[in-house]
Amino acid sequence: MKKYLLSSLLIALACLVMAGCESESVSSEQTPAVAKTTESPENELFIYTAWPAFYVKEEIFEKQIGQYIKKKFPDLKVKHIHWDNPGRRYEDLVAAGTIPDIVFDEVRRNTYRQVRRFDMQYDMTDLIKKYNFDTNKLNPADMQHSINTSDGKLYSLPFNSNEWVLFYNKDIFDKFGVEYPKDGMTWDETYEMAKKLTRQEGEITYKGFQMNPAHYLKFNQLSEPGLDPNEDKASMVSDKWVKSVDNIRRFYDIPGNQLVKTNAFSKGNIAMIVDSLENAVRLVNENKSLNFDVSSVPVFLEAPKSKFQPNTNGMFITNQSKKKDLAFQVIAYLLSTEIQIEQSKQGIISPLIDPAVQQVFGQGIQEWKGKHLQSLFYLNSAKPALRKPGLTFIDSNTDMVWNLIAEESKDSQTALRMTNDAMNKAIEETKVIQKDGGTSQHQ
């Protein structure tokens, strides 16, 4: 971790790579009952952080959260605990009767798997009205995650989001005389570029493009849902799903450009990767000699201004908190332009759509001087499809789609249909488990 401490950005972004971007899966064991909450002092606010994961380091929490709360609320004592296994999991807090006032966690899945599992969900709608908080200033895609997971209420507000960006190795482009990627480049243009950049020279194979296909599908730019918006069933067999799968699989049919993990980018023989920002940052810092820059992700012609759906981390007020008004005032302050500008300077992607926040992104990080950081804001986040309240949630099994293609040579339609069938089965299993008071492994 000492290497991460060299850069505030690395500190801030040492968490979520999408394959491990959520807390560990829970089994379908019985959900523990919520214990009686132990009263805390009136001047103490208990904050529990699960995601972003980098708050496991108290100095990072203090730098990004604690110090600002202390300045705004000087008489308030902040008690902070970060999720850890074992000892500091949700169930451990519940068993001890120490329920937080505010929870930071990943919204899309963990609202279901954790916050709602332990009956901590609380609708902030009345507090939003009471304190005249303007949710229109927040990224609509981030907000959509909160809305989708709240059954018509609002259990969370976004705090930051994990975005995807295209990183490229300028030396490989120069070596083969290919122009650098441009913001707004289409997938077709990227594919032609990847073919030119995939070369064999001696014992070195240069690969043109790499991205995790499961992440590409799960957070797809066409906002195609894995779950039906109106019924308890999967929705993985549309023409848009086929188009998305066909688009990515052609890259790995390029001779020499077989799929490898994007982690190999740090070795210097991959021309382009699309990855989560924090993972890409980690990779380029593993090899300080990489001559790299960034660009916006490739786009589809029918969605020329859409990047991927974000993976959003949110702030929740717990149902058990006796200090809901104070907790909301703290949340509102952390989402103020003043604080979000400071967050943005340190490489944290803000949920605010304020240009003043976006324009200072990364300015506090020496290693990022001269990089084309505004590429991150060239496109708009694709919004997750709105889903009817009360329906069963499971995680879309995009890993299965790609495994069927890569390991069993299935065509796109067959891979999607088989995944769709498996997801329908998982939905029915989940409904039975939840009816019995358990927690499904499919979530």
Side-chain angles (χ1 to χ4, degrees), residues 151-326:
D151 281 343
K153 302 173 185 179
L154 197 61
Y155 297 148
S156 66
L157 286 174
F159 174 65
N160 63 24
S161 57
N162 187 27
E163 298 274 5
W164 278 257
V165 65
L166 188 148
F167 270 49
Y168 62 95
N169 186 324
K170 297 171 72 173
D171 288 341
I172 296 178
F173 279 81
D174 293 342
K175 180 179 181 66
F176 298 124
V178 178
E179 289 188 17
Y180 298 150
K182 296 179 180 179
D183 291 340
M185 186 172 63
T186 67
W187 280 107
D188 287 341
E189 291 172 325
T190 307
Y191 174 68
E192 294 302 322
M193 191 176 286
K195 288 196 295 185
K196 295 177 182 177
L197 293 163
T198 302
R199 306 278 189 93
Q200 177 77 35
E201 289 206 348
E203 296 182 355
I204 300 176
T205 298
Y206 292 96
K207 294 180 180 291
F209 176 89
Q210 294 290 314
M211 181 181 185
N212 184 317
H215 301 168
Y216 159 89
L217 293 171
K218 192 183 299 290
F219 298 93
N220 70 84
Q221 297 158 277
L222 299 179
S223 296
E224 199 63 3
L227 298 172
D228 189 279
N230 299 301
E231 299 181 52
D232 259 341
K233 63 180 184 180
S235 181
M236 297 282 292
V237 290
S238 68
D239 290 342
K240 285 185 178 180
W241 272 115
V242 175
K243 179 181 180 66
S244 292
V245 174
D246 285 344
N247 176 61
I248 192 66
R249 69 182 298 170
R250 62 176 169 164
F251 283 85
Y252 304 116
D253 288 335
I254 298 172
N257 196 56
Q258 296 88 345
L259 177 65
V260 296
K261 291 183 177 180
T262 53
N263 291 348
F265 185 72
S266 62
K267 297 178 181 179
N269 65 332
I270 298 177
M272 297 178 284
I273 61 168
V274 171
D275 207 339
S276 57
L277 176 62
E278 72 287 339
N279 195 48
V281 169
R282 178 181 64 80
L283 295 176
V284 298
N285 277 272
E286 287 179 357
N287 182 353
K288 298 292 187 180
S289 66
L290 277 178
N291 182 20
F292 75 96
D293 210 334
V294 299
S295 175
S296 65
V297 298
V299 297
F300 288 99
L301 285 174
E302 57 266 55
K305 281 295 182 179
S306 291
K307 55 184 174 181
F308 292 91
Q309 300 166 53
N311 195 52
T312 305
N313 295 313
M315 295 179 286
F316 303 75
I317 296 175
T318 65
N319 182 48
Q320 294 84 357
S321 174
K322 304 297 184 183
K323 305 164 188 172
K324 294 182 176 68
D325 281 77
L326 176 59

Side-chain angles (χ1 to χ4, degrees), residues 1-16:
M1 292 300 297
K2 290 184 177 180
K3 179 165 62 177
Y4 293 148
L5 294 174
L6 295 176
S7 164
S8 297
L9 178 60
L10 288 183
I11 288 175
L13 297 173
C15 64
L16 323 144

Side-chain angles (χ1 to χ4, degrees), residues 327-341:
F328 186 81
Q329 291 176 65
V330 168
I331 287 174
Y333 179 61
L334 292 175
L335 289 173
S336 67
T337 300
E338 172 191 356
I339 301 306
Q340 289 299 310
I341 282 177

Side-chain angles (χ1 to χ4, degrees), residues 343-358:
Q343 298 275 324
S344 185
K345 286 179 181 178
Q346 297 306 316
I348 302 299
I349 299 178
S350 172
L352 297 190
I353 52 177
D354 189 337
V357 174
Q358 296 174 349

